[in-house]
Amino acid sequence: MKIPNHIAIILDGNGRWAKSKGMPRNYGHVKGCDNLEYICEVAKELGVKYLTVYAFSTENWKRSREEVEGLMRLFRNYLKKCIKISKKNNMRVRIIGDPTAFDQDIQDSIRELEEFSKDFDDLHFQIALNYGSRDEICRAVNRMLKDQAEGRLTGPVTEETISGYLDTGEIPDPDLLIRTSGELRLSNFLLWQLAYTEFYFTPVPWPDFKKDELLKAIGKYNERDRRYGGVKEE
Ligand code: IPE
Ligand code: IPE
Ligand code: MG
């Protein structure tokens, strides 16, 4: 079985999963975070080179104060814990999205984690935090305008130029996108980068998405016939 080089996951369904157990939504986020730690290990073991997960969108600030506070608490703890996890998994961790909206201590933890893990090379793990694809494109265009005004960028702008200015920079585009918990939409995730990605949707909620489910998704990916606009060789 061919293992995709880059898997992106919209980890959805924590809230509904918790509700189905008569628990508060934030309990679902705690269990979802545990599962993220577990899936990183599985991905590494399977030989996945890049894993990108959508953990908090630019739109998720609309949730209740209690839920947002719970998520911030979770990010705070996880980012600290992730220093050890990155070492254990020989995993480079990067945050995509706009970190400036977070409290200073969270921004400091992000910087520390990225710096600490920058030479680890088995798994490249990207966490999308305060990420929205349209916001990412706006930020990229504004940086391009600034660089052009200051002489660091000259035209013509190519697809590579734009890719390079996105938060994902040099990271290759995803081969497989997974969304858990039954919703069939992108919710503003990696709109540019997913141009030729294969999609896999499953009703399984994120906290229940284990190794067997990941293997099922990879199995389906292996049945796909990727053409990139060309014609299949017979
Ligand atoms: C995904 O689970 C995690 C975040 C968006 C932070 P949800 O919180 O969206 O769970 P549902 O979709 O409401 O069940
Ligand atoms: C997308 O899930 C964002 C994350 C998984 C972080 P949402 O649950 O926020 O998306 P919608 O609101 O159902 O589209
Ligand atoms: Mg959701």
Side-chain angles (χ1 to χ4, degrees):
M1 199 160 65
K2 191 171 182 291
I3 299 294
N5 183 52
H6 184 174
I7 299 181
I9 309 180
I10 301 175
L11 27 94
D12 198 15
N14 293 346
R16 279 165 283 172
W17 178 87
K19 200 174 164 212
S20 76
K21 298 194 151 21
M23 299 295 281
R25 293 181 58 85
N26 279 329
Y27 175 73
H29 296 317
V30 170
K31 292 296 169 189
C33 191
D34 291 347
N35 198 46
L36 189 56
E37 206 178 313
Y38 160 81
I39 285 290
C40 277
E41 283 189 19
V42 172
K44 181 200 146 124
E45 173 197 314
L46 292 175
V48 175
K49 199 70 201 170
Y50 295 87
L51 177 68
T52 302
V53 300
Y54 202 8
F56 191 83
S57 74
T58 46
E59 289 73 32
N60 285 149
W61 298 104
K62 292 182 200 156
R63 297 189 177 195
S64 73
R65 196 183 144 149
E66 187 192 358
E67 183 168 351
V68 170
E69 279 176 2
L71 284 164
M72 293 305 136
R73 236 182 347 261
L74 199 58
F75 297 154
R76 247 184 202 101
N77 294 336
Y78 178 75
L79 288 165
K80 291 219 164 69
K81 196 173 171 198
C82 203
I83 294 251
K84 273 198 192 124
I85 302 172
S86 70
K87 191 167 182 199
K88 184 170 148 225
N89 290 347
N90 192 31
M91 158 178 115
R92 178 172 187 181
V93 189
R94 278 174 282 191
I95 305 306
I96 60 169
D98 178 7
T100 61
F102 295 118
D103 286 349
Q104 191 57 47
D105 68 304
I106 294 186
Q107 295 186 46
D108 293 345
S109 292
I110 289 172
R111 216 163 304 128
E112 196 186 335
L113 175 60
E114 290 185 332
E115 176 61 27
F116 178 83
S117 67
K118 71 180 190 312
D119 296 323
F120 296 151
D121 193 35
D122 275 354
L123 175 65
H124 291 242
F125 180 41
Q126 292 67 238
I127 313 171
L129 287 179
N130 192 30
Y131 177 88
S133 194
R134 290 179 172 182
D135 177 67
E136 176 191 37
I137 292 169
C138 288
R139 286 186 288 103
V141 170
N142 283 317
R143 257 185 296 123
M144 286 166 72
L145 289 173
K146 186 163 189 279
D147 283 355
Q148 188 196 39
E150 293 169 8
R152 286 185 298 272
L153 174 69
T154 49
V157 167
T158 62
E159 293 186 9
E160 285 70 31
T161 316
I162 294 176
S163 292
Y165 272 86
L166 295 176
D167 297 345
T168 41
E170 301 303 301
I171 296 162
D173 289 341
D175 299 287
L176 171 64
L177 170 83
I178 297 169
R179 182 167 186 153
T180 58
S181 213
E183 307 305 337
L184 308 180
R185 56 179 172 262
L186 291 179
S187 303
N188 203 9
F189 191 45
L190 302 177
L191 301 180
W192 171 276
Q193 296 90 337
L194 296 174
Y196 266 102
T197 303
E198 296 294 332
F199 288 7
Y200 177 84
F201 296 99
T202 171
V204 175
W206 173 249
D208 289 338
F209 189 89
K210 302 296 175 193
K211 184 178 179 181
D212 55 330
E213 296 294 337
L214 183 61
L215 285 172
K216 225 190 272 177
I218 296 174
K220 284 288 173 198
Y221 169 81
N222 274 263
E223 291 170 13
R224 304 280 174 87
D225 166 26
R226 300 185 80 185
R227 297 187 180 198
Y228 304 99
V231 174
K232 195 184 178 193
E233 299 289 329
E234 292 300 339

